[in-house]
Amino acid sequence: MRNFASVDKLLEDERIKPLHLILSRPICADVIRTVLAALRTETDEDTSYNYDAIVAKCLTALQIKIKRPLQKIINASGTILHTNLGRSPLSKELWRQAEFLNTNHINLEYHINQQKRGGRAGFVNELLCKLTGAEAALVVNNNAAAIYLILKTLAGEGQVIISRGELVQIGGGFRIPDIMAEAGSRLVEVGTTNITTVDDYIHAITEHTKLLLKVHSSNFKIRGFTSSPSIKELRAALPSHIPLVYDEGAGVLEAGLSEDISIKQALKEGADLVCFSGDKFLGSVQAGIIVGKKAYIDRLAGHPLMRAFRCGKVILSLLEASLIDKLNDSERPIGYAAQLLAIKPTKVKAQAERLAKALPVGLAEVIEADVEVGGGSLPDEFYPSYAVAINCKVSLKVNQLVTALHNLPVPILGRVAEDRLLIYLLTIKEEDMDYAAEALVKILGKKDE
Ligand SMILES: *Cc1c(COP(=O)(O)O)cnc(C)c1O
């Protein structure tokens, strides 16, 4: 083995040891072994390696590995609910409440008043009914699971009618036709991509029809000569035994933020079930929330798959705390995205100007730049805001700047626009502004340099 230091000795080196906490000791050992193996193949029999040089090589390899564990990222991308960045951050206060519950035993499935086993998430469901005006509610792991459970329970091998304009793909590989096939249901497409009428739906009904599904086109918009019936029109025309299900997806409670049908509106117009994500507009945890008629919710809750889709105590405790907070706080808009969108653009402009002023003259300028909600929530809707555009033709190349920002102890994610990097101020958390500014100054140089 020549004169290389041993893996054990390197693992215990005071420069490497702190990384055990971040990567775990065995993973650090793997990285060190790989470095040593590479050194062995590339050095001659008689080359001797200085110990510190080996440590340095190990540290370089470990510094790459260290970007793998879950860690904080500063979102300067202008996309508020970035699915790659965990969508909505949670409030620290709610987190602390959940900490107490999760580090103790709790009544997750125990009914204290009745002194016996009780249903999971009983109170969360009650809160969801208050929030949406629904008769009943149910929570599963995510909205994809919600749709699957609905199809499996209510449609089974029967037919599901859906407009051709709503056979969508959401995010990485979640396709409505695929999920339907997976549930065993038979897809009956009606209408065309741009126009679907009430009659298209009604004429497709047979004795095998089990469900009518409407899906929010979360990540695209069809514009121009386009129309589809409202939920009200559909419910009025549909036989009462066929449930009308609306996959709202985005979690927009009330009309206002977009022209699309909100959850409350869909329920009011007669949707039998509405499902949506907990971590999009609602700004809570990853969850699939189903609200609507009690008779249907009871069937979903009783399906054997519910055991596979039920949420754990971490999710339910956080969801419960955030729902109470939303019900009590009538001052602020509901959810992280709506709260950010309520910030005055002039405030964001001032922040952008402050940042631009700290950077070398000619390198950075404040520009008008729209932000988007993202996370497959409100498609094609952009909100006026400001960004600092860093002109990368002048000094380092845009990809070098991007890499430097990724390599920071807390990486910063901007948006590349040709040879400029845009730093959106709105999506950076207030407490991270100084860090982001200092990091950029460090990389790009100060104003007068
Ligand atoms: C986001 C979305 C989904 C998927 O929801 P997840 O919670 O990410 O599983 C499904 N349908 C619609 C309409 C959506 O917007």
Side-chain angles (χ1 to χ4, degrees), residues 87 142-145 147 168 170 174 176 215-218 247-250 276-280 286-288 375-377:
R87 292 188 185 160
N142 51 39
N143 195 29
I147 297 161
V168 303
I170 292 140
F174 178 76
I176 293 291
V215 180
H216 180 209
S217 62
S218 289
D247 173 13
E248 190 273 341
F276 53 97
S277 302
D279 57 351
K280 291 182 182 172
Q286 180 191 302
S377 301

Side-chain angles (χ1 to χ4, degrees), residues 261-326:
I261 315 161
S262 70
I263 297 162
K264 281 188 181 173
Q265 193 184 346
L267 290 169
K268 228 178 253 153
E269 288 193 13
D272 297 287
L273 293 175
V274 179
C275 61
F276 53 97
S277 302
D279 57 351
K280 291 182 182 172
F281 248 95
L282 204 63
S284 188
V285 283
Q286 180 191 302
I289 297 170
I290 312 169
V291 292
K293 301 261 159 69
K294 186 170 183 308
Y296 292 122
I297 295 278
D298 284 347
R299 282 176 62 192
L300 300 179
H303 195 281
L305 264 179
M306 206 31 225
R307 174 73 195 214
F309 289 165
R310 68 184 193 182
C311 297
K313 64 186 175 198
V314 179
I315 292 296
L316 291 173
S317 56
L318 283 163
L319 182 59
E320 189 168 284
S322 69
L323 290 171
I324 292 169
D325 184 54
K326 285 172 209 311

